[in-house]
Amino acid sequence: QPSTPCRSPCERERERMQNRSLLSLLFLVSLIEGVAAMTPQWRGLINGTVVYIALGVVAMFFVVCVSRPAKPLFITSVVLTTVCTWMLWACCYMSQMYPILYPIMSSAPGEGHGHADAGGADHRRMF
């Protein structure tokens, strides 16, 4: 039997880290392939999310550069603001991706979509 050299704990830890980085790289490649196969609407959501992450990182950079006693409060404010504005944007974006209500277009311009022929209410008379 060939003798295996005894490895130090540092070498074993380095090997584990290389395996983890390889798995991370494989995950990133599969994620990129998955995004490339998505419909344009979902790509827009991913791109917008990346923009919000970048804006959050830039804002965090400015907060970290400021040396004040209330730095934890500023960091919390930046994180909460970034997450909440992203959630608002994502909800608005996704509600427009597949809308529940579609506009009803009339054949003649100026008639609107609520005339009496179509069975809807007559919106030309308000009162």
Side-chain angles (χ1 to χ4, degrees), residues 31-119:
L31 183 67
I32 290 171
E33 288 175 354
V35 169
M38 288 181 180
T39 60
Q41 295 96 348
W42 288 101
R43 273 191 235 134
L45 184 67
I46 298 294
N47 291 341
T49 301
V50 169
V51 167
Y52 267 97
I53 290 171
L55 289 174
V57 167
V58 168
M60 190 65 71
F61 174 74
F62 284 122
V63 166
V64 169
C65 288
V66 174
S67 59
R68 296 200 175 164
K71 192 184 286 189
L73 177 66
F74 291 155
I75 291 172
T76 305
S77 298
V78 165
V79 169
L80 284 175
T81 302
T82 304
V83 169
C84 290
T85 54
W86 172 79
M87 284 177 59
L88 176 69
W89 172 82
C91 288
C92 292
Y93 186 87
M94 286 189 290
S95 71
Q96 295 176 14
M97 283 170 55
Y98 301 106
I100 296 172
L101 302 174
Y102 292 98
I104 301 170
M105 307 301 287
S106 65
S107 57
E111 282 187 9
H113 59 274
H115 52 83
D117 307 322

